[in-house]
């Protein structure tokens, strides 16, 4: 005999996931309201719409807190780190983006240039490179510092690496010192993109692009790159490469023909870099300080660094929530880079 189940009513579905999503959205809303409220309060505390702009442009004449770092003497040197990937735009976090490292470096160089007591910069490089324009901006700022006064000099201390854009920045120095285990070089330019045409055809995804010209969607990941487009891109790469090569020729005592043979993107350990005159010396921090004092014509130097601590108002104006589920789709794009990317 067939028996019906004792209870044929389906079990109710769990709503835990739904309420977790609602709770997270509510939390995000509360955080956003709190940040906006704090911003309004901070603005009112500074006078509302009638903010005191001060007597000088703060980006042109930055006033930074100084910290005595090393050594002592009447002549001042400033140590400035160039660490990580050289790129405009801060690193994305849960609360938005961190400070722009390139702007921070440029501010420190300007502050040192505006200080009559500063005779030297010590640029501490530990970078695989980064954006073409970002690297060039730092290089140009260092050149302006040297040109601002005849007695000003720049030494460069290479820690783990000065590759590609990191080396681009380094060649602005008057003297380059690398640690025995440093990696130097990777002179070249790279542009990378993924092509997903084959995959999209297999899974049935089609690209719909409305454009004004044949090259408007250059490097579209859903289309093949034509020979003509590849030639256009290669022309751009060659122009940026020749600029890099020219700056190295200006800054380093290397024969032009020999340099072109070295500048194929390869990297060098410190001994090789010294042999090829890509650097001037192998040493450590004490050697850097001693050489900087020697180049400045001084027995000793007082080395300082800048301590940048944003106030609450500055922090609020840069913090933002980034909860868009599609933001990752736009996080990377093809770009010209002086970057060592193994």
């Amino acid at each position: 005999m067939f028996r019906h189940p004792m209870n044929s009513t389906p079990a109710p579905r769990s709503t835990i996931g739904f309420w977790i999503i609602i709770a997270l959205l509510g939390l995000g809303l509360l955080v956003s309201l709190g940040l906006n409220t704090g911003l309004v309060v901070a603005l009112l505390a500074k006078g509302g719409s009638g903010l005191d702009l001060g007597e000088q442009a703060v980006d042109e004449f930055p006033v930074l807190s100084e910290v005595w770092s090393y050594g002592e003497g009447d002549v001042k040197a400033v140590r400035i780190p160039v660490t990580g990937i050289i790129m405009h735009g801060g690193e994305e976090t849960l609360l938005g983006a961190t400070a722009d490292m390139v702007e921070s470096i440029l501010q420190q160089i300007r502050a040192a240039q505006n200080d009559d007591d500063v005779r030297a910069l010590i640029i501490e490089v530990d970078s695989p490179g980064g954006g073409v324009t970002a690297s060039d901006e730092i290089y140009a700022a260092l050149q302006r510092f040297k040109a601002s006064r005849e007695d000003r000099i720049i030494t460069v201390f290479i820690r783990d690496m000065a590759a590609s854009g990191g080396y681009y920045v380094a060649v602005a120095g008057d003297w380059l010192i690398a640690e025995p285990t440093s990696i130097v070089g990777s002179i070249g330019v790279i542009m990378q993109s993924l092509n997903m045409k084959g995959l999209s055809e297999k899974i049935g995804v089609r690209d719909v692009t409305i454009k004004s010209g044949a090259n408007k969607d250059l490097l579209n990941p859903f289309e093949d790159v034509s020979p003509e487009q590849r030639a256009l891109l290669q022309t751009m790469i060659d122009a940026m490469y020749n600029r890099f090569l020219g700056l190295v020729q200006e800054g380093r005592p290397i024969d032009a023909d020999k340099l072109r043979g070295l500048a194929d993107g390869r990297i060098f350990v410190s001994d090789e870099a010294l042999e090829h005159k890509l650097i001037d010396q192998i040493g450590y921090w004490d050697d850097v300080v001693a050489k900087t004092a020697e180049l400045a014509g001084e027995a000793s130097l007082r080395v300082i660094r800048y301590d940048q601590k944003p106030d609450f108002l500055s922090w609020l104006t840069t913090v933002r929530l980034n909860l868009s589920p599609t933001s990752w789709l736009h996080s990377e794009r093809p770009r010209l880079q002086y970057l060592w990317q193994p």
Side-chain angles (χ1 to χ4, degrees):
M1 176 182 295
F2 176 78
R3 295 175 179 267
H4 288 285
M6 294 296 293
N7 184 4
S8 60
T9 303
R13 296 181 179 180
S14 173
T15 59
I16 294 177
F18 171 79
W19 288 112
I20 290 176
I21 293 173
I22 294 296
L24 289 174
L25 291 174
L27 178 61
L29 179 60
L30 288 174
V31 172
S32 179
L33 288 173
L35 291 175
N36 283 305
T37 301
L39 178 58
V40 171
V41 171
L43 285 171
L44 291 175
K46 286 199 171 186
S49 59
L51 292 177
D52 181 9
L53 297 180
E55 297 179 357
Q56 288 184 319
V58 295
D59 292 325
E60 185 179 3
F61 302 98
V63 178
L64 305 177
S65 175
E66 294 184 2
V67 176
W68 185 7
S69 173
Y70 201 88
E72 55 184 318
D74 296 330
V75 176
K76 186 192 296 186
V78 179
R79 60 189 299 185
I80 300 177
V82 178
T83 305
I85 294 180
I86 304 169
M87 198 74 70
H88 274 294
E91 180 183 355
E92 290 294 329
T93 66
L94 177 62
L95 292 177
T98 56
D100 187 314
M101 66 95 74
V102 177
E103 287 301 325
S104 174
I105 292 168
L106 295 178
Q107 271 200 339
Q108 292 177 71
I109 297 171
R110 282 195 291 269
Q113 182 174 323
N114 295 334
D115 187 344
D116 290 336
D117 293 332
V118 174
R119 286 280 309 283
L121 294 182
I122 299 174
I123 306 301
E124 299 177 75
V125 179
D126 186 1
S127 171
V132 165
T133 299
S135 303
D136 188 66
E137 286 177 346
I138 297 174
Y139 173 89
L142 293 174
Q143 293 287 36
R144 284 193 296 272
F145 171 83
K146 287 198 296 184
S148 66
R149 221 168 64 201
E150 290 185 359
D151 62 345
R152 281 179 159 168
I153 53 101
I154 296 175
T155 55
V156 175
F157 182 32
I158 300 171
R159 292 190 180 273
D160 273 343
M161 69 174 65
S164 206
Y167 189 67
Y168 190 108
V169 170
V171 294
D174 298 294
W175 194 266
L176 277 62
I177 300 178
E179 295 203 44
T181 54
S182 298
I183 291 174
V184 180
S186 188
I187 300 170
V189 191
I190 189 170
M191 173 182 274
Q192 289 182 308
S193 177
L194 293 175
N195 188 282
M196 298 182 285
K197 183 178 180 182
L199 175 63
S200 66
E201 289 173 348
K202 288 182 180 180
I203 63 178
V205 175
R206 292 194 306 167
D207 172 53
V208 178
T209 299
I210 312 300
K211 56 186 178 179
S212 58
N215 296 311
K216 187 60 180 173
D217 64 338
L218 198 61
L219 287 182
N220 184 333
F222 297 102
E223 296 292 340
D224 290 325
V225 181
S226 70
E228 294 77 16
Q229 290 175 328
R230 188 174 292 274
L232 285 173
L233 294 170
Q234 190 62 55
T235 299
M236 294 171 56
I237 293 291
D238 292 343
M240 296 302 155
Y241 171 73
N242 288 330
R243 177 173 177 78
F244 195 166
L245 204 63
L247 295 183
V248 177
Q249 286 177 330
E250 289 178 16
R252 303 302 308 160
I254 308 173
D255 178 76
D257 292 334
K258 180 182 178 182
L259 176 60
R260 190 168 287 274
L262 299 173
D264 59 0
R266 75 181 76 178
I267 55 174
F268 303 90
V269 295
S270 296
D271 289 340
E272 295 173 315
L274 182 62
E275 178 185 348
H276 295 307
K277 301 181 180 178
L278 294 170
I279 61 173
D280 299 293
Q281 183 180 342
I282 296 174
Y284 296 96
W285 171 251
D286 287 344
D287 301 306
V288 174
V289 175
K291 187 63 184 183
T292 306
E294 177 189 331
L295 292 175
E298 299 292 333
S300 60
L301 293 176
R302 185 173 188 265
V303 182
I304 66 106
R305 59 179 171 82
Y306 295 121
D307 189 19
Q308 295 178 293
K309 295 179 180 178
D311 58 26
F312 182 64
L313 177 58
S314 300
W315 178 79
L316 282 175
T317 55
T318 57
V319 170
R320 66 182 187 275
L321 288 175
N322 186 12
L323 300 176
S324 170
T326 60
S327 60
W328 64 274
L329 291 173
H330 309 287
S331 61
E332 291 296 334
R333 65 185 187 276
R335 67 175 85 196
L336 291 167
Q337 297 183 96
Y338 293 137
L339 179 66
W340 180 48
Q341 192 166 304

